[in-house]
Amino acid sequence: VDATAVDGGLWAGVAGPRDHVIVWQSGGFSSTALRAVGDAAAASGMRAVVMDRASVASIGVQRDGEWVRRVTPGWRVQLSAMGIDPLGAATVVGADVAAVIADGDLVMSARSAALRNAEVGDDLLLVTTSGRTVRLRIGLIAPDRRLRGSEVVLARSVAAGLGVNRPQTAVLVGEGPADAVDELESRLPNGFFRVLRAGDPPLPNGVLSSVGLKELLGEVEYRPTGGTSVALDPDWVASSIVSETVPIIGRLTCHRDALAAFRKAMVEIEEAGLAGLINPTDSRLNGGCFVPRLVRGPSGGFLSRHSYGIAIDINPSTNRFG
């Protein structure tokens, strides 16, 4: 680093930033894709840091053995979680995060902590897929942007014990060549990948993060009822979900705060003369809007946005995934 003396006895310098490339795949990487990411990193002189992403179920927060926030017994709330190797975490989410998860504690995002009045030193009580309760100490509360959209971050080995073992995102870090993205994309198998380089603008069709959804619509309690089906807190359903008629599709059951947007979208389609492209019966009955369930497929067990009543599947019988 070339440093220059400035006023007050301080020295200032500018270093060349370390480049990074982000690649992720909805549903998680296949073994072939994961190997391609590692090969591309090696060929570009970079290092691949892999992140596992999935949901974890929580029954509340305790401080000194007393409940700070507790869900209704028999129910749970869902948090988005990331598992990452502490050795690679420093370059991706910060050295302080890496140090905390290396000690076996977890890091919680500031906005998620605010939702449950959590503080450093509190215990987050989680439920494993087998129904066992696990208590983990909150060792750090960090800005959400640092945690890349996750509400909690854990060491990869700890996360795996909670069922968070789905590699979905990889960050290639280092002083790679300018064609690092081309190198990566040339090695990836066919599939629905997204590749971003440092400095690229955000995706225009991004969706709200998990915590953003909760801030907008409330953190709904749920319980599994078999397969991908879930039951939702009946009080939340009563205050949030309504049935109204929208153009083209007809009567639709959705979240009350989403209906105005759905209605406007249908009006725009109608005014563009494209209403004939929509099968209203298929969209209403087979797609629907409010359907309490988890996301289908290898999705990490997240509540579907249909559970919140904020998604519509158009022509689902012919308009398949992808």
Side-chain angles (χ1 to χ4, degrees), residues 24-101:
W24 74 97
Q25 183 177 26
S26 179
F29 290 129
S30 65
S31 58
T32 302
L34 202 55
R35 187 165 53 251
V37 169
D39 291 345
S44 301
M46 305 177 84
R47 180 161 58 102
V49 180
V50 177
M51 290 167 277
D52 296 328
R53 292 181 182 270
S55 68
V56 291
S58 172
I59 59 172
V61 174
Q62 287 188 346
R63 183 175 303 147
D64 299 324
E66 300 293 330
W67 289 104
V68 175
R69 163 81 186 275
R70 185 183 187 185
V71 304
T72 305
W75 297 73
R76 59 192 68 180
V77 293
Q78 195 173 80
L79 287 79
S80 58
M82 175 203 298
I84 186 170
D85 184 345
L87 294 177
T91 56
V92 177
V93 289
D96 52 350
V97 174
V100 167
I101 64 174

Side-chain angles (χ1 to χ4, degrees), residues 105-162:
D105 294 337
L106 66 81
V107 178
M108 181 173 283
S109 81
R111 290 162 67 189
S112 185
L115 282 177
R116 56 203 86 255
N117 298 316
E119 299 176 358
V120 171
D122 290 349
D123 292 325
L124 180 67
L125 277 69
L126 301 172
V127 180
T128 67
T129 52
S130 64
R132 182 171 58 93
T133 300
V134 174
R135 179 187 300 267
L136 290 174
R137 179 180 178 274
I138 301 172
L140 176 69
I141 294 174
D144 287 64
R145 60 179 176 78
R146 293 254 312 277
L147 304 189
R148 298 176 177 267
S150 296
E151 294 183 76
V152 294
V153 174
L154 313 100
R156 209 171 178 196
S157 58
V158 175
L162 297 167

Side-chain angles (χ1 to χ4, degrees), residues 13-320:
V14 178
R18 291 176 66 84
D19 201 3
H20 70 268
V21 177
I22 305 170
V23 57
W24 74 97
Q25 183 177 26
S26 179
F29 290 129
S30 65
S31 58
T32 302
L34 202 55
R35 187 165 53 251
V37 169
D39 291 345
S44 301
M46 305 177 84
R47 180 161 58 102
V49 180
V50 177
M51 290 167 277
D52 296 328
R53 292 181 182 270
S55 68
V56 291
S58 172
I59 59 172
V61 174
Q62 287 188 346
R63 183 175 303 147
D64 299 324
E66 300 293 330
W67 289 104
V68 175
R69 163 81 186 275
R70 185 183 187 185
V71 304
T72 305
W75 297 73
R76 59 192 68 180
V77 293
Q78 195 173 80
L79 287 79
S80 58
M82 175 203 298
I84 186 170
D85 184 345
L87 294 177
T91 56
V92 177
V93 289
D96 52 350
V97 174
V100 167
I101 64 174
D103 287 339
D105 294 337
L106 66 81
V107 178
M108 181 173 283
S109 81
R111 290 162 67 189
S112 185
L115 282 177
R116 56 203 86 255
N117 298 316
E119 299 176 358
V120 171
D122 290 349
D123 292 325
L124 180 67
L125 277 69
L126 301 172
V127 180
T128 67
T129 52
S130 64
R132 182 171 58 93
T133 300
V134 174
R135 179 187 300 267
L136 290 174
R137 179 180 178 274
I138 301 172
L140 176 69
I141 294 174
D144 287 64
R145 60 179 176 78
R146 293 254 312 277
L147 304 189
R148 298 176 177 267
S150 296
E151 294 183 76
V152 294
V153 174
L154 313 100
R156 209 171 178 196
S157 58
V158 175
L162 297 167
V164 182
N165 53 8
R166 182 183 66 129
Q168 186 201 30
T169 306
V171 178
L172 278 62
V173 294
E175 298 174 359
D179 59 357
V181 172
D182 294 336
E183 178 68 41
L184 177 59
E185 291 182 322
S186 70
R187 292 175 180 266
L188 287 172
N190 292 330
F192 305 112
F193 294 94
R194 292 285 185 273
V195 179
L196 290 177
R197 187 170 182 156
D200 284 351
L203 292 177
N205 60 341
V207 298
L208 275 176
S209 66
S210 175
V211 72
L213 197 61
K214 296 173 183 180
E215 290 171 337
L216 187 66
L217 305 177
E219 187 171 46
V220 60
E221 296 183 4
Y222 77 101
R223 55 180 174 82
T225 56
T228 60
S229 298
V230 298
L232 301 179
D233 172 16
D235 291 336
W236 181 88
V237 173
S239 64
S240 304
I241 304 301
V242 296
S243 296
E244 292 186 13
T245 300
V246 300
I248 304 176
I249 292 179
R251 194 157 184 80
L252 205 58
T253 300
C254 296
H255 194 287
R256 62 172 66 252
D257 293 340
L259 271 165
F262 289 153
R263 187 176 292 108
K264 183 178 179 181
M266 293 301 121
V267 168
E268 289 181 2
I269 292 171
E270 217 169 31
E271 291 176 345
L274 301 174
L277 298 178
I278 294 179
N279 181 328
T281 302
D282 188 31
S283 301
R284 185 175 63 253
L285 300 182
N286 298 322
C289 180
F290 175 61
V291 186
R293 61 171 173 82
L294 304 177
V295 177
R296 297 186 180 115
S299 62
F302 285 99
L303 284 172
S304 169
R305 307 250 158 166
H306 285 289
S307 291
Y308 291 92
I310 59 169
I312 295 180
D313 292 338
I314 298 296
N315 300 353
S317 296
T318 55
N319 183 25
R320 298 292 187 179

